[in-house]
Coordinates of all heavy atoms in Angstrom, one line a residue:
M106 N 0.8 -1.2 0.0 CA 0.0 0.0 0.0 C 0.9 1.3 0.0 O 0.6 2.3 -0.7 CB -0.9 0.0 1.2 CG -1.9 1.1 1.3 SD -3.1 0.9 0.0 CE -4.3 2.0 0.5
K107 N 2.0 1.2 0.8 CA 2.9 2.4 0.8 C 3.5 2.7 -0.6 O 3.8 3.8 -0.9 CB 4.0 2.2 1.8 CG 3.5 2.3 3.3 CD 4.6 2.1 4.2 CE 4.0 2.1 5.6 NZ 5.1 2.0 6.6
R108 N 3.7 1.7 -1.4 CA 4.3 1.9 -2.7 C 3.3 2.7 -3.6 O 3.9 3.4 -4.4 CB 4.6 0.5 -3.3 CG 5.7 -0.2 -2.8 CD 6.0 -1.5 -3.6 NE 5.0 -2.5 -3.2 CZ 4.8 -3.6 -3.8 NH1 5.6 -3.9 -4.8 NH2 3.9 -4.4 -3.4
F109 N 2.1 2.6 -3.4 CA 1.1 3.4 -4.2 C 0.9 4.8 -3.6 O 0.6 5.7 -4.3 CB -0.2 2.7 -4.3 CG 0.0 1.3 -5.0 CD1 -0.2 0.2 -4.3 CD2 0.3 1.3 -6.3 CE1 -0.1 -1.1 -4.9 CE2 0.4 0.1 -6.9 CZ 0.2 -1.1 -6.3
A110 N 1.1 5.0 -2.3 CA 0.8 6.3 -1.7 C 1.8 7.3 -2.1 O 1.5 8.5 -2.4 CB 0.8 6.1 -0.2
I111 N 3.1 7.0 -2.2 CA 4.1 7.9 -2.5 C 4.0 8.5 -3.9 O 4.0 9.6 -4.1 CB 5.6 7.3 -2.3 CG1 5.7 7.1 -0.8 CG2 6.6 8.2 -2.8 CD1 7.0 6.4 -0.4
P112 N 3.8 7.6 -5.0 CA 3.6 8.2 -6.3 C 2.3 9.1 -6.4 O 2.3 10.0 -7.0 CB 3.5 7.0 -7.2 CG 4.2 5.9 -6.4 CD 4.0 6.2 -5.0
A113 N 1.3 8.6 -5.6 CA 0.0 9.5 -5.6 C 0.2 10.9 -5.0 O -0.3 11.9 -5.5 CB -1.1 8.7 -4.9
I114 N 1.0 10.9 -4.0 CA 1.3 12.2 -3.3 C 2.1 13.1 -4.2 O 1.8 14.2 -4.4 CB 2.0 12.0 -1.9 CG1 1.0 11.4 -0.9 CG2 2.6 13.3 -1.4 CD1 1.7 10.9 0.3
I115 N 3.1 12.5 -4.9 CA 3.9 13.2 -5.8 C 3.1 13.7 -7.0 O 3.3 14.9 -7.5 CB 5.1 12.4 -6.3 CG1 6.1 12.1 -5.1 CG2 5.9 13.0 -7.5 CD1 7.2 11.1 -5.4
G116 N 2.2 12.9 -7.5 CA 1.3 13.3 -8.6 C 0.5 14.4 -8.2 O 0.3 15.3 -9.0
L117 N -0.1 14.4 -7.0 CA -0.9 15.5 -6.6 C -0.2 16.7 -6.5 O -0.7 17.9 -6.7 CB -1.7 15.1 -5.2 CG -2.8 14.1 -5.4 CD1 -3.2 13.7 -4.0 CD2 -3.9 14.6 -6.2
A118 N 1.0 16.7 -5.8 CA 1.9 18.0 -5.7 C 2.1 18.6 -7.0 O 2.3 19.8 -7.2 CB 3.1 17.6 -4.9
A119 N 2.4 17.7 -8.0 CA 2.8 18.2 -9.3 C 1.6 18.9 -10.0 O 1.9 19.7 -11.0 CB 3.3 17.1 -10.2
A120 N 0.5 18.7 -9.6 CA -0.8 19.2 -10.3 C -1.2 20.5 -9.7 O -2.1 21.1 -10.1 CB -1.9 18.2 -10.2
T121 N -0.6 21.0 -8.6 CA -0.9 22.2 -8.0 C -0.5 23.4 -8.8 O 0.4 23.3 -9.6 CB -0.3 22.4 -6.6 OG1 1.1 22.5 -6.8 CG2 -0.6 21.2 -5.6
P122 N -1.3 24.5 -8.7 CA -1.0 25.7 -9.5 C 0.4 26.3 -9.3 O 1.0 26.8 -10.2 CB -2.0 26.7 -9.1 CG -3.2 25.9 -8.6 CD -2.5 24.7 -8.0
V123 N 1.0 26.1 -8.1 CA 2.3 26.6 -7.8 C 3.3 26.0 -8.7 O 4.2 26.7 -9.3 CB 2.6 26.4 -6.3 CG1 4.1 26.7 -6.1 CG2 1.7 27.2 -5.4
S124 N 3.2 24.7 -8.9 CA 4.2 24.0 -9.8 C 4.0 24.4 -11.3 O 4.9 24.2 -12.1 CB 4.1 22.5 -9.6 OG 2.8 22.1 -10.1
A125 N 2.8 24.9 -11.6 CA 2.6 25.2 -13.0 C 3.1 26.7 -13.4 O 3.1 27.1 -14.5 CB 1.1 25.1 -13.3
A126 N 3.5 27.5 -12.4 CA 4.0 28.8 -12.6 C 5.3 28.8 -13.4 O 6.1 27.8 -13.3 CB 4.2 29.5 -11.3
L127 N 5.4 29.8 -14.3 CA 6.7 29.8 -15.0 C 7.8 30.3 -14.1 O 7.6 31.0 -13.1 CB 6.5 30.9 -16.1 CG 5.5 30.6 -17.2 CD1 5.3 31.8 -18.1 CD2 5.8 29.4 -18.0
S128 N 9.1 30.0 -14.6 CA 10.3 30.4 -13.8 C 10.2 31.9 -13.8 O 9.6 32.6 -14.7 CB 11.4 29.8 -14.4 OG 11.8 30.4 -15.6
G129 N 11.0 32.5 -13.0 CA 11.1 34.0 -13.0 C 11.6 34.6 -14.4 O 11.1 35.6 -14.9
Y130 N 12.5 33.9 -15.0 CA 13.0 34.4 -16.3 C 11.9 34.4 -17.3 O 11.6 35.4 -18.0 CB 14.2 33.5 -16.8 CG 14.6 33.9 -18.2 CD1 15.4 35.0 -18.4 CD2 14.0 33.2 -19.3 CE1 15.8 35.3 -19.8 CE2 14.4 33.6 -20.6 CZ 15.2 34.6 -20.8 OH 15.5 34.9 -22.1
W131 N 11.1 33.3 -17.4 CA 10.1 33.2 -18.5 C 9.0 34.0 -18.2 O 8.4 34.6 -19.1 CB 9.7 31.7 -18.7 CG 10.9 30.9 -19.3 CD1 11.6 30.0 -18.7 CD2 11.4 31.0 -20.6 NE1 12.6 29.4 -19.5 CE2 12.5 30.1 -20.8 CE3 11.1 31.9 -21.7 CZ2 13.2 30.0 -21.9 CZ3 11.9 31.8 -22.8 CH2 12.9 30.8 -22.9
D132 N 8.6 34.2 -16.9 CA 7.5 35.1 -16.5 C 7.9 36.5 -16.9 O 7.1 37.2 -17.5 CB 7.2 35.0 -15.0 CG 6.1 35.8 -14.6 OD1 5.0 35.6 -15.1 OD2 6.3 36.8 -13.8
S133 N 9.1 37.0 -16.5 CA 9.4 38.4 -16.8 C 9.6 38.6 -18.4 O 9.2 39.6 -18.9 CB 10.7 38.9 -16.1 OG 11.8 38.1 -16.5
S134 N 10.1 37.6 -19.0 CA 10.2 37.7 -20.5 C 8.8 37.8 -21.2 O 8.6 38.7 -22.1 CB 10.9 36.3 -21.0 OG 10.9 36.3 -22.4
K135 N 7.8 37.0 -20.7 CA 6.5 37.1 -21.3 C 5.9 38.5 -21.0 O 5.3 39.1 -21.9 CB 5.6 36.1 -20.5 CG 4.2 36.0 -21.1 CD 3.5 34.9 -20.4 CE 2.1 34.8 -20.9 NZ 1.2 33.8 -20.3
V136 N 6.1 39.1 -19.8 CA 5.7 40.5 -19.5 C 6.3 41.5 -20.4 O 5.6 42.4 -20.9 CB 5.7 40.7 -18.0 CG1 5.5 42.2 -17.7 CG2 4.9 39.8 -17.1
I137 N 7.7 41.4 -20.5 CA 8.4 42.4 -21.2 C 8.0 42.3 -22.7 O 7.8 43.3 -23.4 CB 9.9 42.2 -21.0 CG1 10.3 42.6 -19.6 CG2 10.7 43.0 -22.1 CD1 11.7 42.3 -19.2
H138 N 7.8 41.1 -23.2 CA 7.3 41.0 -24.7 C 6.0 41.6 -24.8 O 5.8 42.3 -25.8 CB 7.3 39.5 -25.1 CG 8.6 39.0 -25.5 ND1 9.4 38.4 -24.6 CD2 9.1 39.0 -26.7 CE1 10.6 38.0 -25.3 NE2 10.4 38.4 -26.6
A139 N 5.1 41.5 -23.9 CA 3.8 42.1 -24.0 C 3.9 43.6 -23.9 O 3.2 44.3 -24.7 CB 2.8 41.6 -22.8
I140 N 4.7 44.1 -23.1 CA 4.9 45.6 -23.0 C 5.5 46.2 -24.2 O 5.0 47.1 -24.8 CB 5.9 45.9 -21.8 CG1 5.2 45.6 -20.5 CG2 6.3 47.4 -21.8 CD1 6.1 45.7 -19.2
L141 N 6.5 45.5 -24.8 CA 7.2 46.0 -26.0 C 6.3 45.9 -27.2 O 6.4 46.6 -28.2 CB 8.5 45.3 -26.2 CG 9.6 45.6 -25.1 CD1 10.8 44.8 -25.5 CD2 9.8 47.0 -25.0
G142 N 5.3 45.0 -27.2 CA 4.4 44.8 -28.3 C 3.2 45.7 -28.3 O 2.3 45.7 -29.1
N143 N 3.1 46.5 -27.2 CA 2.0 47.4 -27.0 C 2.1 48.7 -27.7 O 3.0 49.4 -27.5 CB 1.8 47.6 -25.5 CG 0.5 48.3 -25.2 OD1 0.3 49.4 -25.5 ND2 -0.4 47.6 -24.5
E144 N 1.2 49.0 -28.6 CA 1.2 50.3 -29.3 C 1.3 51.5 -28.5 O 1.9 52.5 -28.9 CB 0.1 50.3 -30.3 CG 0.1 49.4 -31.4 CD -1.1 49.5 -32.4 OE1 -1.7 50.6 -32.5 OE2 -1.5 48.5 -32.9
R145 N 0.5 51.5 -27.4 CA 0.6 52.7 -26.5 C 1.9 53.0 -25.9 O 2.3 54.1 -25.7 CB -0.5 52.5 -25.4 CG -1.9 52.6 -25.9 CD -3.0 52.4 -24.9 NE -2.8 53.3 -23.8 CZ -3.1 52.9 -22.5 NH1 -3.8 51.7 -22.3 NH2 -2.9 53.6 -21.5
V146 N 2.7 51.9 -25.6 CA 4.1 52.1 -25.1 C 4.9 52.7 -26.2 O 5.7 53.7 -26.0 CB 4.7 50.8 -24.6 CG1 6.2 50.9 -24.3 CG2 3.9 50.2 -23.5
A147 N 4.8 52.2 -27.4 CA 5.6 52.7 -28.6 C 5.3 54.2 -28.8 O 6.2 55.0 -29.0 CB 5.3 51.9 -29.8
D148 N 4.0 54.6 -28.8 CA 3.6 55.9 -29.0 C 4.1 56.8 -27.8 O 4.5 58.0 -28.1 CB 2.1 56.0 -29.1 CG 1.6 55.4 -30.4 OD1 2.4 55.3 -31.3 OD2 0.4 55.2 -30.4
A149 N 4.0 56.3 -26.6 CA 4.6 57.1 -25.4 C 6.0 57.4 -25.5 O 6.5 58.4 -25.1 CB 4.2 56.4 -24.1
L150 N 6.7 56.5 -26.2 CA 8.2 56.7 -26.4 C 8.5 57.3 -27.7 O 9.7 57.4 -28.1 CB 8.9 55.3 -26.3 CG 8.8 54.6 -25.0 CD1 9.3 53.2 -25.0 CD2 9.5 55.4 -23.9
R151 N 7.5 57.8 -28.4 CA 7.6 58.4 -29.7 C 8.3 57.6 -30.8 O 9.1 58.1 -31.5 CB 8.4 59.9 -29.6 CG 7.5 60.8 -28.8 CD 8.3 62.2 -28.8 NE 7.5 63.1 -28.0 CZ 8.0 64.2 -27.5 NH1 9.2 64.6 -27.8 NH2 7.2 65.0 -26.8
Q152 N 8.1 56.3 -30.6 CA 8.6 55.3 -31.6 C 10.2 55.3 -31.6 O 10.8 54.9 -32.6 CB 8.0 55.6 -33.0 CG 6.6 55.5 -33.0 CD 6.0 54.2 -32.9 OE1 6.6 53.1 -33.3 NE2 4.8 54.0 -32.4
Q153 N 10.8 55.9 -30.6 CA 12.3 55.8 -30.5 C 12.9 54.5 -30.1 O 12.2 53.7 -29.4 CB 12.8 56.9 -29.5 CG 12.3 58.3 -30.0 CD 12.7 59.4 -28.9 OE1 13.3 59.1 -27.9 NE2 12.3 60.7 -29.2
P154 N 14.2 54.3 -30.4 CA 14.8 53.0 -30.0 C 14.9 53.0 -28.4 O 15.2 53.9 -27.8 CB 16.2 53.1 -30.6 CG 16.1 54.2 -31.6 CD 15.0 55.1 -31.2
I155 N 14.7 51.8 -27.9 CA 14.8 51.6 -26.5 C 16.2 51.5 -26.0 O 17.0 50.9 -26.6 CB 14.1 50.2 -26.1 CG1 12.5 50.4 -26.4 CG2 14.3 49.9 -24.6 CD1 11.8 49.2 -26.4
E156 N 16.5 52.3 -24.9 CA 17.8 52.2 -24.4 C 17.9 51.5 -23.1 O 18.9 50.9 -22.7 CB 18.4 53.7 -24.1 CG 18.7 54.4 -25.4 CD 19.4 55.7 -25.3 OE1 19.6 56.1 -24.1 OE2 19.9 56.2 -26.3
S157 N 16.8 51.4 -22.3 CA 16.8 50.6 -21.1 C 15.4 50.2 -20.7 O 14.4 50.8 -21.0 CB 17.5 51.5 -19.9 OG 16.6 52.6 -19.6
I158 N 15.5 49.1 -20.0 CA 14.3 48.5 -19.3 C 14.6 48.2 -17.9 O 15.6 47.4 -17.6 CB 13.8 47.2 -20.0 CG1 13.5 47.4 -21.5 CG2 12.6 46.6 -19.3 CD1 13.2 46.2 -22.2
I159 N 14.0 48.9 -16.9 CA 14.3 48.8 -15.5 C 13.1 48.2 -14.7 O 12.0 48.7 -14.9 CB 14.8 50.1 -14.9 CG1 16.0 50.7 -15.7 CG2 15.0 50.0 -13.4 CD1 16.4 52.1 -15.4
S160 N 13.3 47.2 -13.9 CA 12.3 46.7 -13.0 C 12.1 47.7 -11.9 O 13.0 48.1 -11.3 CB 12.8 45.4 -12.5 OG 11.8 44.8 -11.7
I161 N 10.8 48.1 -11.8 CA 10.5 49.0 -10.6 C 9.4 48.3 -9.8 O 9.1 47.1 -10.0 CB 9.9 50.3 -11.2 CG1 8.7 50.1 -12.0 CG2 11.0 51.1 -11.9 CD1 7.9 51.4 -12.5
E162 N 9.0 48.9 -8.7 CA 8.2 48.2 -7.7 C 7.0 47.4 -8.2 O 6.8 46.2 -7.9 CB 7.7 49.2 -6.6 CG 7.0 48.5 -5.5 CD 6.6 49.5 -4.4 OE1 7.2 50.6 -4.3 OE2 5.7 49.2 -3.6
N163 N 6.2 48.0 -9.1 CA 5.0 47.4 -9.6 C 5.1 47.1 -11.1 O 4.0 46.9 -11.7 CB 3.8 48.2 -9.3 CG 3.5 48.3 -7.8 OD1 3.7 47.3 -7.1 ND2 3.1 49.4 -7.3
G164 N 6.2 47.1 -11.7 CA 6.3 46.9 -13.1 C 7.7 47.2 -13.7 O 8.6 46.8 -13.1
Y165 N 7.6 48.0 -14.8 CA 8.9 48.3 -15.5 C 8.9 49.7 -16.0 O 7.8 50.3 -16.3 CB 9.0 47.4 -16.7 CG 9.2 46.0 -16.3 CD1 8.2 45.0 -16.3 CD2 10.6 45.5 -16.1 CE1 8.4 43.8 -15.9 CE2 10.8 44.1 -15.8 CZ 9.7 43.3 -15.7 OH 9.9 42.0 -15.3
Q166 N 10.1 50.3 -16.0 CA 10.2 51.6 -16.6 C 11.1 51.4 -18.0 O 12.1 50.8 -18.0 CB 11.0 52.5 -15.7 CG 11.2 53.9 -16.3 CD 12.2 54.8 -15.4 OE1 13.3 54.5 -15.3 NE2 11.6 55.8 -14.8
I167 N 10.5 51.9 -19.0 CA 11.1 51.7 -20.4 C 11.6 53.1 -20.7 O 10.8 54.1 -20.7 CB 10.1 51.2 -21.4 CG1 9.2 50.1 -20.9 CG2 10.8 50.9 -22.7 CD1 9.9 48.8 -20.5
A168 N 12.8 53.2 -21.2 CA 13.4 54.5 -21.5 C 14.1 54.5 -22.9 O 14.6 53.5 -23.3 CB 14.4 55.0 -20.5
T169 N 13.9 55.6 -23.6 CA 14.7 55.9 -24.8 C 15.6 57.1 -24.5 O 15.7 57.6 -23.3 CB 13.8 56.4 -25.9 OG1 13.2 57.6 -25.6 CG2 12.7 55.3 -26.2
Q170 N 16.3 57.7 -25.4 CA 17.2 58.7 -25.2 C 16.4 60.0 -24.7 O 16.9 60.7 -23.8 CB 17.9 59.2 -26.5 CG 19.0 60.3 -26.3 CD 19.7 60.6 -27.5 OE1 19.7 59.8 -28.6 NE2 20.4 61.6 -27.6
D171 N 15.2 60.2 -25.2 CA 14.5 61.4 -24.9 C 13.2 61.1 -24.0 O 12.6 62.1 -23.5 CB 14.0 62.2 -26.1 CG 15.2 62.6 -26.9 OD1 16.3 63.0 -26.4 OD2 15.1 62.4 -28.2
C172 N 12.7 59.9 -23.9 CA 11.4 59.7 -23.3 C 11.5 58.5 -22.3 O 12.5 57.7 -22.4 CB 10.4 59.3 -24.3 SG 10.1 60.6 -25.6
Q173 N 10.5 58.4 -21.4 CA 10.4 57.2 -20.5 C 8.9 57.0 -20.3 O 8.1 58.0 -20.3 CB 11.2 57.4 -19.3 CG 10.7 58.4 -18.3 CD 11.5 58.5 -17.1 OE1 12.7 58.1 -17.0 NE2 10.9 58.9 -16.0
V174 N 8.5 55.9 -20.0 CA 7.2 55.5 -19.6 C 7.3 54.4 -18.6 O 8.1 53.5 -18.6 CB 6.4 55.1 -20.8 CG1 6.9 53.8 -21.5 CG2 4.9 55.0 -20.5
E175 N 6.3 54.4 -17.6 CA 6.2 53.4 -16.6 C 5.0 52.6 -16.9 O 3.9 53.1 -17.3 CB 6.1 54.0 -15.2 CG 7.4 54.6 -14.7 CD 7.5 55.0 -13.3 OE1 6.4 54.8 -12.5 OE2 8.4 55.6 -12.8
V176 N 5.2 51.3 -16.8 CA 4.1 50.3 -17.0 C 3.9 49.5 -15.8 O 4.8 48.8 -15.3 CB 4.5 49.4 -18.2 CG1 3.3 48.4 -18.5 CG2 4.8 50.2 -19.4
Q177 N 2.7 49.6 -15.2 CA 2.4 48.8 -14.0 C 1.9 47.5 -14.5 O 1.1 47.4 -15.4 CB 1.2 49.5 -13.2 CG 1.8 50.6 -12.3 CD 0.7 51.0 -11.3 OE1 -0.4 50.9 -11.6 NE2 1.1 51.4 -10.1
V178 N 2.3 46.4 -13.8 CA 1.9 45.0 -14.1 C 1.1 44.5 -13.0 O 1.5 44.4 -11.9 CB 3.1 44.1 -14.4 CG1 2.6 42.7 -14.7 CG2 3.9 44.7 -15.5
S179 N -0.2 44.2 -13.3 CA -1.0 43.6 -12.2 C -1.2 42.1 -12.6 O -1.7 41.7 -13.7 CB -2.4 44.2 -12.3 OG -2.3 45.6 -11.9
R180 N -0.8 41.3 -11.7 CA -0.8 39.8 -11.9 C -2.2 39.3 -11.4 O -2.7 39.7 -10.4 CB 0.3 39.1 -11.2 CG 1.6 39.6 -11.8 CD 2.8 38.8 -11.3 NE 4.1 39.5 -11.7 CZ 4.6 39.4 -12.9 NH1 4.0 38.8 -13.8 NH2 5.7 40.0 -13.2
I181 N -2.7 38.3 -12.2 CA -4.0 37.7 -11.9 C -3.7 36.2 -11.7 O -3.2 35.5 -12.5 CB -5.0 37.9 -13.1 CG1 -5.2 39.4 -13.4 CG2 -6.3 37.2 -12.7 CD1 -5.8 39.6 -14.7
A182 N -4.0 35.8 -10.4 CA -3.8 34.4 -10.1 C -4.6 33.5 -10.9 O -5.8 33.7 -11.2 CB -4.0 34.2 -8.6
P183 N -4.0 32.4 -11.5 CA -4.7 31.5 -12.3 C -5.7 30.7 -11.4 O -5.4 30.4 -10.3 CB -3.7 30.6 -12.9 CG -2.5 30.6 -12.0 CD -2.6 32.0 -11.4
D184 N -6.9 30.3 -12.1 CA -7.8 29.5 -11.3 C -7.7 28.0 -11.8 O -8.4 27.2 -11.3 CB -9.2 30.0 -11.7 CG -9.6 30.2 -13.1 OD1 -8.6 29.9 -13.9 OD2 -10.7 30.4 -13.4
R185 N -6.7 27.8 -12.6 CA -6.4 26.4 -13.0 C -4.9 26.3 -13.3 O -4.3 27.3 -13.5 CB -7.2 25.9 -14.2 CG -7.0 26.8 -15.4 CD -7.8 26.4 -16.6 NE -7.5 27.2 -17.7 CZ -8.3 28.0 -18.3 NH1 -9.5 28.1 -17.9 NH2 -7.9 28.7 -19.4
P186 N -4.3 25.2 -13.4 CA -2.9 25.0 -13.8 C -2.6 25.8 -15.1 O -3.4 25.8 -16.1 CB -2.7 23.5 -13.9 CG -3.8 22.9 -13.1 CD -4.9 23.8 -13.2
G187 N -1.4 26.4 -15.0 CA -1.0 27.2 -16.2 C -0.3 28.4 -15.8 O -0.3 28.8 -14.6
P188 N 0.2 29.2 -16.7 CA 0.9 30.5 -16.4 C -0.1 31.4 -15.8 O -1.3 31.5 -16.1 CB 1.5 30.9 -17.7 CG 0.7 30.2 -18.7 CD 0.2 28.9 -18.2
A189 N 0.5 32.3 -15.0 CA -0.3 33.4 -14.5 C -0.7 34.4 -15.5 O 0.1 34.6 -16.4 CB 0.4 34.1 -13.3
R190 N -1.8 35.0 -15.4 CA -2.2 36.1 -16.4 C -1.8 37.4 -15.8 O -1.6 37.5 -14.6 CB -3.6 36.1 -16.7 CG -4.1 34.7 -17.4 CD -5.6 34.7 -17.6 NE -6.3 35.0 -16.4 CZ -7.5 35.3 -16.3 NH1 -8.3 35.4 -17.4 NH2 -8.1 35.5 -15.2
F191 N -1.8 38.5 -16.6 CA -1.5 39.8 -16.0 C -2.1 40.8 -17.0 O -2.6 40.5 -18.0 CB 0.0 40.0 -16.1 CG 0.7 39.9 -17.4 CD1 0.8 40.9 -18.3 CD2 1.2 38.6 -17.8 CE1 1.4 40.8 -19.6 CE2 1.8 38.4 -19.0 CZ 1.8 39.5 -19.9
S192 N -2.2 42.1 -16.4 CA -2.7 43.2 -17.1 C -1.7 44.3 -17.0 O -1.0 44.3 -16.1 CB -4.1 43.6 -16.7 OG -4.1 44.1 -15.4
L193 N -1.8 45.2 -18.0 CA -0.8 46.3 -18.0 C -1.6 47.6 -17.9 O -2.6 47.8 -18.6 CB 0.0 46.2 -19.4 CG 0.7 45.0 -19.7 CD1 1.3 45.1 -21.1 CD2 1.8 44.7 -18.7
Q194 N -1.1 48.5 -17.1 CA -1.5 49.9 -17.1 C -0.3 50.8 -17.5 O 0.7 50.8 -16.8 CB -1.9 50.3 -15.6 CG -3.2 49.6 -15.2 CD -3.0 48.3 -14.5 OE1 -1.9 48.1 -13.8 NE2 -3.8 47.3 -14.7
I195 N -0.5 51.5 -18.5 CA 0.6 52.1 -19.2 C 0.4 53.6 -18.8 O -0.6 54.3 -19.0 CB 0.6 52.0 -20.7 CG1 0.8 50.6 -21.1 CG2 1.6 52.9 -21.4 CD1 0.1 50.1 -22.3
G196 N 1.5 54.2 -18.1 CA 1.4 55.6 -17.8 C 1.7 56.5 -19.0 O 2.0 56.1 -20.1
P197 N 1.6 57.8 -18.7 CA 1.9 58.8 -19.8 C 3.4 58.8 -20.0 O 4.2 58.7 -19.1 CB 1.4 60.1 -19.2 CG 1.5 59.9 -17.7 CD 1.2 58.5 -17.4
G198 N 3.7 59.0 -21.3 CA 5.1 59.2 -21.7 C 5.6 60.5 -21.2 O 4.9 61.5 -21.2
Q199 N 6.9 60.5 -20.8 CA 7.6 61.8 -20.3 C 8.7 61.9 -21.2 O 9.7 61.2 -21.1 CB 7.9 61.7 -18.8 CG 6.7 61.5 -17.9 CD 7.1 61.2 -16.5 OE1 8.3 61.0 -16.1 NE2 6.2 61.1 -15.6
C200 N 8.7 63.0 -22.0 CA 9.7 63.3 -22.9 C 10.3 64.7 -22.7 O 9.6 65.5 -22.3 CB 9.2 63.3 -24.3 SG 8.6 61.6 -24.8
S201 N 11.6 64.7 -23.0 CA 12.3 66.0 -22.7 C 12.5 66.8 -24.1 O 12.2 66.3 -25.1 CB 13.7 65.8 -22.2 OG 14.5 64.9 -22.9

């Protein structure tokens, strides 16, 4: 009976949402790709080449030579196994 209990416990643990989360690298990569693919971010930066992406408290700051924009990332916990979802709030672009 013990031989069947251990695999069953391992199988249940593997099915939890925590184990389905992406690693930190892939999670941040997915978010950054969504930010960079957003037309509002491109417009806030006046379509200029990106010089830096900085992680801030609730998201990222994207900067060009003349402009910067902050993007807040709100994570939505998944209700089933799979990657977490998120939404973006794009601040106004600040250009010099």
